[in-house]
């Protein structure tokens, strides 16, 4: 599902056709890992211009494996926490991530942003990762303490972390006078997810 | 006046029906930012003559051609229900002065979404306060309920009203998008009201939702009454009754389903 296809198989350059499957999977995992690092490192997203930023350039090479993994992990974590409602929570979170990301992207496109659909879905998906961490921490924490204030603090931190990277990303495709309109749904998407984690 | 297959998206504002713009080919780039006052029917609105137009992003783009300042202005004006139109001194300030010929879908859609979220969160907090730790239900149900109830109000009712008004022939200068925009923006007042419903007191719930319903109803009424009254008296009475009934049902739905 790599967004980057050459279409030409040259005998000089090494091809990926005859490599072992394990290597292919590892390569994909490595690329997922490198993108995650970009999203998680807060110092990388400060640059205002997209073209100048090496880190964000990496995200231009989109894939959907990372978001799928992240989304599955989040759904499983939350459904474990939900007990008897598990199946419903799993499907709701799974749908929310994909439909939400699609709506946010469509909204940016409708506002006149020159953004590629899957690239934006990819970035939005990767930026969910801090929330996954917070869901995991909460799950562990609930075996010891059950304090709402602590939950709230952790999820809020994760929410800010998630929003920062994606807002910078979406914001740069939209003209200045419409930035707020495109950024509000992004913000809303993560609020929704944070709320799902909190309950 | 307009074709059967594209009656929804065509800008049938009555008075300029004879001077519809010629269809322009879609390869033309859409204008990035049109000033708010300028009408948007510059050829972009005419959909291609097949069913595919509803899957084409470009057929929706005119309704998202709006800036942050316009949205801010529209949301704030939707709360000024008592204002009169500056030019004609009519009560339809919102439709004639704010929306004009330029209804948008961004505001209604995201106002509704915000309201869905706020309602489900506050109703959940209420349930949580009133319940013991064990019988606390999952939030998913209230979220799904809020979603279908509130979207039915903001999308379903304008759709039904539009077709009913069309069949009755009691429609003057209103297309579906204008009705949808009006209903969407009328929900603005419900958002602070729903936030206020965090307070776990029945009196506060009734009062805040009632005030919000009055604001919302007043906005819809003041803007539609002039246009509806132009038809026969019995007809217009029935139509106004329908709008009022929807408002009351919405009010009771919110109160009884989410803040019982």
């Amino acid at each position: 599902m790599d967004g980057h296809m050459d279409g030409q198989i040259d005998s000089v350059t090494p091809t990926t056709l005859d490599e072992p499957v394990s290597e292919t999977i590892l390569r994909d995992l490595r690329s997922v890992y490198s993108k995650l690092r970009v999203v998680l490192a807060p110092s990388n997203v400060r640059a205002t211009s997209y073209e100048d930023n090496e880190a964000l350039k990496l995200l231009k090479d989109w894939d959907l494996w990372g978001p799928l993994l992240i989304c599955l992990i989040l759904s499983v974590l939350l459904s474990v926490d939900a007990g008897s409602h598990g199946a419903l929570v799993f499907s709701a979170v799974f749908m929310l991530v994909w439909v939400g990301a699609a709506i946010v992207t469509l909204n940016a496109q409708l506002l006149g942003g020159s953004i590629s659909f899957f690239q934006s879905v990819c970035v939005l998906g990767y930026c969910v990762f801090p929330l996954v961490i917070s869901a995991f921490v909460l799950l562990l924490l609930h075996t010891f303490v059950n304090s709402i204030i602590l939950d709230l603090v952790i999820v809020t931190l994760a929410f800010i972390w998630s929003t920062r990277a994606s807002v910078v990303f979406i914001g740069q495709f939209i003209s200045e006078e419409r930035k707020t309109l495109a950024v509000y749904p992004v913000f809303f998407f993560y609020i929704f997810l944070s709320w799902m984690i909190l309950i | 006046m307009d074709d059967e297959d594209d009656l929804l998206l065509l800008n049938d504002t009555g008075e300029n029906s004879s001077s519809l713009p010629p269809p322009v080919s879609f390869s033309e780039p859409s204008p990035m930012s049109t000033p708010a006052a300028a009408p948007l029917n510059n050829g972009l609105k005419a959909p291609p003559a097949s069913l595919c137009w509803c899957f084409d992003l470009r057929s929706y783009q005119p309704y998202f051609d709006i800036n942050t300042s316009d949205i801010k202005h529209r949301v704030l004006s939707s709360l000024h229900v008592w204002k009169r139109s500056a030019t004609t001194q009519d009560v339809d300030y919102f439709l004639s002065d704010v929306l004009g010929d330029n209804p948008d879908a961004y505001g209604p859609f995201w106002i509704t979404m915000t309201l869905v979220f706020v309602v489900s969160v506050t109703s959940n907090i209420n349930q949580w306060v009133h319940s013991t730790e064990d019988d606390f239900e999952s939030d998913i149900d209230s979220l799904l309920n809020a979603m279908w109830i509130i979207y039915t109000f903001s999308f379903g009712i304008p759709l039904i009203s539009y077709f009913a008004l069309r069949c009755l022939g009691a429609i003057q200068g209103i297309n579906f998008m204008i009705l949808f925009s009006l209903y969407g923006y009328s929900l603005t007042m419900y958002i602070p009201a729903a936030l206020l419903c965090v307070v776990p007191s029945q009196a506060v719930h009734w009062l805040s939702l009632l005030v919000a319903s009055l604001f919302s109803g007043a906005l819809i009424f003041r803007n539609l009454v002039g246009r509806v009254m132009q038809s026969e008296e019995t007809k217009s009475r029935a139509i106004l009754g329908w709008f009022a009934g929807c408002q009351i049902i919405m009010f009771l739905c919110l109160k009884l389903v989410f803040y019982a």
Side-chain angles (χ1 to χ4, degrees):
Chain A
M1 286 232 183
D2 274 349
H4 171 79
M5 271 163 66
D6 286 358
Q8 46 174 239
I9 302 171
D10 211 345
S11 57
V12 185
T13 53
T15 68
T16 56
L17 277 179
D18 50 357
E19 69 180 10
V21 176
S22 60
E23 210 162 287
T24 314
I25 293 175
L26 273 180
R27 190 161 39 80
D28 282 345
L29 280 181
R30 266 198 298 274
S31 94
V32 168
Y33 172 70
S34 61
K35 278 175 204 148
L36 267 185
R37 256 194 4 207
V38 170
V39 169
L40 290 186
S43 61
N44 284 337
V45 289
R46 280 215 191 102
T48 44
S49 159
Y50 182 59
E51 293 305 324
D52 300 342
N53 197 324
E54 275 303 314
L56 284 178
K57 242 180 211 170
L58 190 64
L59 286 174
K60 214 172 182 181
D61 192 13
W62 57 267
D63 72 286
L64 293 179
W65 287 118
L68 179 66
L69 268 178
I70 289 167
C71 173
L72 280 177
I73 296 171
L74 184 68
S75 309
V76 168
L77 281 177
L78 293 188
S79 64
V80 166
D81 213 12
S84 60
H85 288 278
L88 186 62
V89 170
F90 183 90
S91 46
V93 173
F94 195 84
M95 285 300 287
L96 184 66
V97 172
W98 291 109
V99 175
I103 289 179
V104 169
T105 307
L106 281 180
N107 177 69
Q109 283 184 338
L110 283 170
L111 284 170
S114 54
I115 187 168
S116 131
F117 184 80
F118 286 113
Q119 195 188 341
S120 154
V121 169
C122 163
V123 172
L124 288 172
Y126 272 108
C127 291
V128 173
F129 193 68
L131 288 171
V132 174
I133 297 176
S134 79
F136 186 66
V137 170
L138 286 195
L139 195 63
L140 287 184
L141 213 63
H142 283 174
T143 53
F144 307 113
V145 276
N146 230 336
S147 138
I148 297 233
I149 307 216
L150 195 61
D151 289 6
L152 206 64
V153 170
I154 292 172
V155 174
T156 310
L157 280 179
F159 165 73
I160 293 169
W161 199 358
S162 286
T163 318
R164 276 196 50 188
S166 47
V167 160
V168 170
F169 181 81
I170 299 285
Q172 68 211 344
F173 290 100
I174 305 286
S175 58
E176 197 56 48
E177 61 266 31
R178 289 181 184 194
K179 212 165 246 178
T180 322
L181 296 186
V183 162
Y184 175 68
V186 178
F187 177 78
F188 203 68
F189 174 61
Y190 292 110
I191 286 237
F192 237 111
L193 281 177
S194 312
W195 173 248
M196 296 290 251
I197 293 170
L198 259 184
I199 53 161
Chain B
M1 188 164 72
D2 41 28
D3 296 349
E4 293 300 316
D5 54 352
D6 52 14
L7 50 85
L8 280 187
L9 277 178
L10 221 74
N11 190 14
D12 52 347
T13 35
E15 58 274 9
N16 62 356
S17 57
S18 56
S19 59
L20 275 177
V24 176
S25 83
F26 268 125
S27 55
E28 200 176 84
S30 68
M32 282 296 284
S33 58
T34 319
L40 273 170
N41 49 358
N42 43 5
L44 269 170
K45 218 166 249 182
S50 71
L51 249 182
C52 284
W53 65 265
C54 60
F55 298 110
D56 194 342
L57 220 53
R58 279 166 299 194
S59 50
Y60 299 104
Q61 221 148 21
Y63 305 115
F64 284 81
D65 195 9
I66 191 154
N67 291 338
T68 312
S69 51
D70 306 331
I71 290 282
K72 213 183 283 170
H73 174 60
R74 287 179 177 195
V75 168
L76 286 179
S77 319
S78 72
L79 297 178
H80 294 165
V81 287
W82 54 86
K83 267 198 181 172
R84 281 169 177 270
S85 166
T87 45
T88 55
Q89 290 300 314
D90 277 340
V91 285
D92 59 346
Y93 166 70
F94 193 72
L95 275 196
S96 60
D97 284 16
V98 182
L99 281 189
D101 280 344
N102 192 2
D104 69 297
Y106 179 95
F109 185 79
W110 289 107
I111 287 172
T112 312
M113 194 62 115
T114 313
L115 183 63
V116 166
F117 180 72
V118 171
V119 163
S120 76
V121 167
T122 51
S123 93
N124 223 241
I125 290 173
N126 261 294
Q127 271 177 33
W128 178 69
V129 168
H130 284 295
S131 70
T132 51
E133 195 67 40
D134 300 327
D135 64 346
F136 179 53
E137 283 276 305
S138 171
D139 176 64
I140 304 285
D141 294 334
S142 85
L143 189 65
L144 295 178
N145 277 340
M147 207 168 260
W148 79 259
I149 289 178
I150 297 173
Y151 270 102
T152 302
F153 183 78
S154 86
F155 188 81
I157 289 183
L159 193 66
I160 295 171
S161 308
Y162 174 73
F163 278 112
L165 289 175
R166 241 186 117 80
C167 292
L168 288 171
I171 196 154
Q172 240 87 49
I174 288 190
N175 62 17
F176 170 67
M177 283 313 291
I178 288 182
L179 215 53
F180 173 57
S181 254
L182 183 63
Y183 262 82
Y185 280 109
S186 81
L187 290 178
T188 316
M189 195 56 194
Y190 277 107
I191 296 173
L195 279 175
L196 212 65
C197 286
V198 169
V199 182
S201 137
Q202 287 292 316
V204 173
H205 293 174
W206 282 108
L207 199 69
S208 61
L209 286 177
L210 190 67
V211 168
S213 293
L214 286 179
F215 262 77
S216 150
L219 184 74
I220 292 171
F221 244 77
R222 286 173 69 96
N223 284 293
L224 290 182
V225 76
R227 286 152 218 255
V228 169
M229 282 304 234
Q230 287 166 4
S231 58
E232 302 160 39
E233 197 179 337
T234 45
K235 242 192 227 173
S236 57
R237 247 188 230 153
I239 294 164
L240 292 180
W242 154 255
F243 283 123
C246 292
Q247 212 61 39
I248 293 168
I249 289 171
M250 170 73 173
F251 166 60
L252 289 179
C253 258
L254 279 183
K255 175 69 193 76
L256 299 177
V257 175
F258 300 104
Y259 306 105

